[in-house]
Amino acid sequence: MEAATIVIRPYRTDDAPCMARLYYEAVQALGPRAYSSAQVAAWAPAPLAPIDVLTRAADGRTTFVAADALDQAVAYVDLEADGHVDHLYCHPDFAGRGVASRLLETVIRHAAEQGVAALYVEASELARPVFERQGFTVTARRDFEVRGVPIHNYAMQRDLT
Ligand SMILES: CC(C)(COP(=O)(O)OP(=O)(O)OC[C@H]1O[C@@H](n2cnc3c(N)ncnc32)[C@H](O)[C@@H]1OP(=O)(O)O)[C@@H](O)C(=O)NCCC(=O)NCCS
């Protein structure tokens, strides 16, 4: 499917089951490009529960979805009120076509309209170049543990003023 047939739209509650699955499938399929199998397993040991997606999306954050021709979510991003970009995940079947970049463009535009001064994120090794192309810069490498497994990502930020 061409990227042009992907539509970026606000999240709806009926997106939750798709988002729960694509989160897991993205990490399982794309994570090994930059992380070990132990790191991938610690990062996403199982699909999310749809109720967890519903709960997160209802906590005041703004979530945008990339939907295919059947209006099924194939990628999503969420933005917290303080400018924190939390999740950015793309189903592997749709990766490498600029879908995440389009989601980020939408978040940047939305945040600027809301008067947010700056965006910040903890970006995976996979997401780092996507954020860099959207004007984010690395402020620190973060080394930490998930479920007892050492892993790393990058603190990044982008001014909107
Ligand atoms: C990080 C992630 C969301 C990126 O999603 P994506 O939709 O593949 O991202 P994009 O397509 O915008 O960019 C990825 C690559 O596609 C290329 N690309 C961008 N637009 C393109 C287009 N129109 N056609 C073809 N390729 C394109 C980019 O050059 C980029 O290559 P690079 O990374 O080597 O620079 C995805 O890899 C993912 O879900 N990873 C697992 C979870 C993860 O790491 N999440 C981030 C947590 S912070």
Side-chain angles (χ1 to χ4, degrees), residues 14-143:
D14 63 351
D15 292 318
C18 271
M19 290 164 60
R21 281 194 303 274
L22 81 84
Y23 166 88
Y24 176 69
E25 289 163 9
V27 177
Q28 292 295 315
L30 303 170
R33 295 182 183 178
Y35 295 97
S36 71
S37 54
Q39 290 172 322
V40 168
W43 183 357
L48 297 174
I51 185 66
D52 292 338
V53 176
L54 287 164
T55 303
R56 279 167 44 83
D59 74 358
R61 72 187 62 214
T62 302
T63 303
F64 292 101
V65 159
D68 66 9
L70 299 175
D71 201 27
Q72 299 285 300
V74 300
Y76 70 94
V77 65
D78 55 20
L79 170 72
E80 295 176 285
D82 70 349
H84 184 232
V85 181
D86 194 0
H87 277 200
L88 175 65
Y89 287 84
C90 180
H91 190 281
D93 289 351
F94 294 84
R97 304 178 192 186
V99 173
S101 303
R102 286 177 58 194
L103 282 168
L104 275 187
E105 287 167 6
T106 302
V107 155
I108 290 166
R109 197 166 51 242
H110 175 80
E113 287 167 3
Q114 297 299 308
V116 176
L119 297 177
Y120 68 102
V121 65
E122 297 82 41
S124 71
E125 199 71 65
L126 301 156
R128 175 181 170 170
V130 180
F131 280 97
E132 283 176 333
R133 275 197 308 281
Q134 296 296 330
F136 286 68
T137 54
V138 172
T139 55
R141 173 179 160 125
R142 303 172 65 252
D143 286 274

